[in-house]
Amino acid sequence: MSAQLETSQQLSELLKQHRKATDEQGVVDVETRKRRLQTAIDLLVDHHQELCTAMEADFGGRHQGFSLMNDILGSLNSLKHARDNLEQWVGSESRQVFSPYDQMGAQAWVQYKPKGTVGIIGTWNAPIFTLLSPLASALSAGNRAVLKPSEVAPETARVLAKAIGECFDPMDVAVITGGVDVGQAFAGMPFDHLVFTGSTEVGKKIMRAAADNLVPVTLELGGKSPVIISETADVREAARRLAIAKGMNGGQLCISPDRIYVPVAARDEFISAFCETYSTLYPTVEDNPDFTAVVNVQHLARVTGYVAQAQEEGAEVIRCPDVAVPAVGRKHPLSIVINPPLLSDIMQHEIFGPAFVLLTYSDIKHVVQEINQGGRPLALYYFGQDQAEQDYVLDHTLSGGVTLNDALMHAAMEEAPFGGVGASGMGHYHGRDGFLEFSHARTVFQSAPVDPRAEWGMLPPFPEHFAAAMASQVTR
Ligand code: NAD
């Protein structure tokens, strides 16, 4: 069988073979894990050019330098970090045995066992990273894996699947391509763990499908990541950094700033500084190779529809850079939608494209309340210089991650967990936290040679003093 699977039937058969091999193999040594990681690293190094060309084609315009940075180097970073550190992660950890067995020679430890085979479903917006970064964690934990790329980036899926077919033994890593029907079948398979990156709505379906086989899930979802600009912030610098962040991948990043809360008095300064930076980064749109296009007409219609509806309902919209909307192609100037109605679509749904909502405020406590009324966001950003206020925001909100006085940065940390909470997901990967996510922590208790329970009167038929002896230990 090739590592490039054609049908769900083949996937089902492969999972049976994986299970058999996993049970027979016993220990998955460090060398095996490193070999699998190295195969993925070599695949990216050998095929990075084709993959970047495919991503550019799928988006209808995405700078190859950006694809290298985001998808190729981002994945390589995770894979190399796992390769170079897993030796320190894999060992068993000894644990303290309870008294008095600790003094009688009992011992205990925790083994970090591979779970078996991890299924990984990826998105189109980071079509390599959302597959190969979780793969690094899954392989470091000694698992095998099967990948399911997004059909919305079909050329990337095709090139990746072909490369996996050429480079991998299907007993290590395999791939299956296809649309929603393949995704549905995939989510219903008896994997030992499933990682899904995608929308909150589909995430719920994945969890339901996984429940039939009691497959544990890691859900890397999205949401409306908020930004709070404090009255104490350097407004121009905050606007500059946010313009850089918002331009990344045409706003099609899971942690892209979605709604930005700005003090009423700072509104004009913020908009002017934001547009100044954004228009310097992207002075033109239509033929600008640095601008990432919206991935397809459906997503473009979705985003422009949100903006148009908000405008019809009275929101002010500022276009940035201030150029005409191109008649062809899917590269669109960014829209700043100011104070739209609460129930408008742009306030209710993740934007995930070249637009954001600007909301003016006069009391930061109300901002925190408003954030807490929605689903838990994947990222939260605070710009300010007031330590007490920063602590207030951190103490009174919950989000997948946080960057202070910048945006996106926390997600690039291989040494720290990346994941959501509540509506933005569950579980996490990256580094040792990813290793733990895809390992089963198994406690092993090795008994003491002598069993004193009969001698101490702790076994049935219980002697008279037994209950009194137990009661004497009910203490505070
Ligand atoms: P999506 O949920 O539409 O699709 C994701 C994957 O799920 C695709 O491979 C698709 O084929 C598959 N799929 C779709 N319907 C399915 C079903 N019913 N059963 C099984 N599989 C199904 O998401 P998308 O449009 O590709 O990606 C955008 C979303 O992903 C945004 O919400 C974004 O915030 C989120 N995202 C999150 C992260 C993260 O790390 N948290 C990263 C990137 C994107």
Side-chain angles (χ1 to χ4, degrees), residues 121-126 129-130 148-152 178-187 196-203 205-206 209 219-223 252-255 299 350 352 378 418-420 424-425 429:
I121 302 178
T123 57
W124 54 263
N125 74 309
F129 181 81
T130 56
K148 152 68 180 83
S150 168
E151 72 285 4
V152 179
V180 172
D181 52 333
V182 172
Q184 283 169 332
F186 193 94
F196 168 79
T197 304
S199 59
T200 302
E201 278 322 301
V202 177
K205 295 181 186 168
I206 298 290
L219 299 179
E220 300 283 346
L221 311 178
Q252 300 164 112
L253 287 181
C254 55
I255 47 173
H299 278 284
E350 180 181 3
F352 213 60
L378 185 59
F418 176 72
S424 57
Y429 58 91

Side-chain angles (χ1 to χ4, degrees), residues 10-73:
Q10 284 178 347
L11 172 56
S12 176
E13 188 49 45
L14 182 70
L15 287 183
K16 285 183 198 142
Q17 290 177 25
H18 275 196
R19 177 59 188 261
K20 187 164 177 287
T22 296
D23 291 346
E24 285 171 5
Q25 183 179 15
V27 170
V28 184
D29 58 26
V30 165
E31 289 319 309
T32 302
R33 299 176 196 217
K34 283 190 176 177
R35 176 180 53 73
R36 291 172 177 166
L37 288 162
Q38 191 61 47
T39 306
I41 292 165
D42 293 343
L43 180 155
L44 284 174
V45 172
D46 292 343
H47 295 272
H48 70 270
Q49 187 56 58
E50 284 166 87
L51 287 165
C52 289
T53 305
M55 285 184 262
E56 191 175 7
D58 280 333
F59 276 86
R62 192 202 208 206
H63 199 282
Q64 295 208 4
F66 179 78
S67 290
L68 281 171
M69 178 178 75
N70 191 69
D71 282 87
I72 305 296
L73 295 176

Side-chain angles (χ1 to χ4, degrees), residues 273-452:
F274 184 98
C275 289
E276 192 181 306
T277 303
Y278 201 84
S279 307
T280 307
L281 297 172
Y282 310 104
T284 60
V285 174
E286 189 172 2
D287 299 320
N288 188 338
D290 299 337
F291 212 92
T292 303
V294 178
V295 72
N296 60 27
V297 286
Q298 290 85 357
H299 278 284
L300 183 59
R302 183 181 56 75
V303 178
T304 53
Y306 292 165
V307 174
Q309 185 210 41
Q311 200 164 18
E312 273 163 31
E313 292 179 2
E316 186 185 346
V317 175
I318 293 176
R319 197 181 298 147
C320 184
D322 192 11
V323 296
V325 173
V328 290
R330 299 189 302 274
K331 293 187 177 180
H332 257 232
L334 176 126
S335 296
I336 305 176
V337 180
I338 303 166
N339 290 328
L342 183 62
L343 295 179
S344 58
D345 282 348
I346 203 162
M347 287 292 282
Q348 299 295 318
H349 302 286
E350 180 181 3
I351 300 169
F352 213 60
F356 72 85
V357 165
L358 187 146
L359 298 160
T360 51
Y361 76 89
S362 45
D363 182 345
I364 202 161
K365 291 198 168 151
H366 292 160
V367 172
V368 168
Q369 276 169 12
E370 200 170 301
I371 291 170
N372 287 337
Q373 276 159 15
R376 302 291 187 209
L378 185 59
L380 184 140
Y381 305 116
Y382 169 83
F383 288 79
Q385 304 301 328
D386 179 337
Q387 186 62 47
E389 188 185 66
Q390 176 180 302
D391 291 345
Y392 177 84
V393 170
L394 289 177
D395 290 349
H396 291 81
T397 56
L398 190 59
S399 62
V402 173
T403 291
L404 301 170
N405 286 314
D406 210 332
L408 314 182
M409 296 294 183
H410 64 280
M413 301 248 312
E414 204 50 51
E415 289 280 356
F418 176 72
V421 57
S424 57
M426 60 185 71
H428 39 246
Y429 58 91
H430 281 188
R432 173 151 164 90
D433 295 284
F435 165 85
L436 292 173
E437 178 87 355
F438 301 119
S439 298
H440 170 61
R442 179 163 79 165
T443 297
V444 181
F445 183 89
Q446 185 170 300
S447 70
V450 179
D451 182 356

